[in-house]
Amino acid sequence: MRAPGGRAPGDSPVDGEALRMIRQRSLFMARRLGYPVDVSLPLITDRGGLRDKDEVVDRMLALDAVIACASGMPPETALDWVSEIGVTGALSPSEARVLEGRAEDVPAGLLDRMEALWALGWAASLFRALDYSRICGPELAMIFGELDDARDVRALRKRSRLRRHEEILAACDLARCLHRGLEIAARKRMSLPGKVQPNVILERRKALEWLLGEEEWDEVFVGV
């Protein structure tokens, strides 16, 4: 479990020099992907530690349920499923309203959350790459589309293994730099940079910021 202050036992914050090296690589990768960069963007802040693995798996399962609803599954069916596998408490307030049929307006972009699920799946070592030049791959459906009952979920938990803290920090920092590049392009009325739609960057960034932080899912801020 996470210790007080947001750190998992045994973790320590990445030092300043390592953070500067992460940023240099992020800027290099952003330019390579075709995004304008802002060298004055503040360095990512590392408080040390990651979410507990089971908490990450629970968040993935909650996302899987709302994505299923966006794909046509009746909300009551999705709610029955999250109840059966024991993750009802992992639903954010906005997700619970959707699955309980209480949402006046279904949040826009629910299908876009596949990219958040992909980022968390990568962080849990379920996918080999988090390529910001491509959308999520078919492996997403191969893994999350086959979760029928609690036994399948137990197997997923056993298979999941969080990547190194610094590796996840670097992926989040790159997402921040790409997000800033999108804002620069919009401000200068340039063509959209990169090979993917902005929602890919934003959803992945939100997932990684959540993984590294302490905010509840609905409260994660992805401003730059």
Side-chain angles (χ1 to χ4, degrees), residues 26-109:
S26 293
L27 294 174
F28 172 80
M29 291 299 299
R31 292 188 182 99
R32 187 173 179 179
L33 289 167
Y35 289 76
V37 301
D38 178 2
V39 296
S40 68
L41 181 66
L43 292 177
I44 191 168
T45 301
D46 178 34
R47 288 173 288 183
L50 298 170
R51 302 270 179 173
D52 177 80
K53 186 190 80 170
D54 283 333
E55 186 179 4
V56 175
V57 174
D58 287 351
R59 175 94 303 266
M60 290 193 292
L61 294 169
L63 284 170
D64 189 30
V66 295
I67 291 167
C69 286
S71 301
M73 177 181 286
E76 59 271 20
T77 301
L79 186 60
D80 286 345
W81 181 72
V82 297
S83 177
E84 178 186 353
I85 63 175
V87 296
T88 306
L91 295 170
S92 73
S94 66
E95 292 167 342
R97 286 194 295 271
V98 172
L99 268 61
E100 293 169 0
R102 296 186 292 110
E104 295 182 3
D105 297 306
V106 176

Side-chain angles (χ1 to χ4, degrees), residues 185-201:
R187 186 172 67 248
K188 295 184 176 181
R189 299 184 179 180
M190 300 164 53
S191 298
L192 284 176
K195 297 181 179 180
V196 297
Q197 292 298 310
N199 65 281
V200 174
I201 306 302

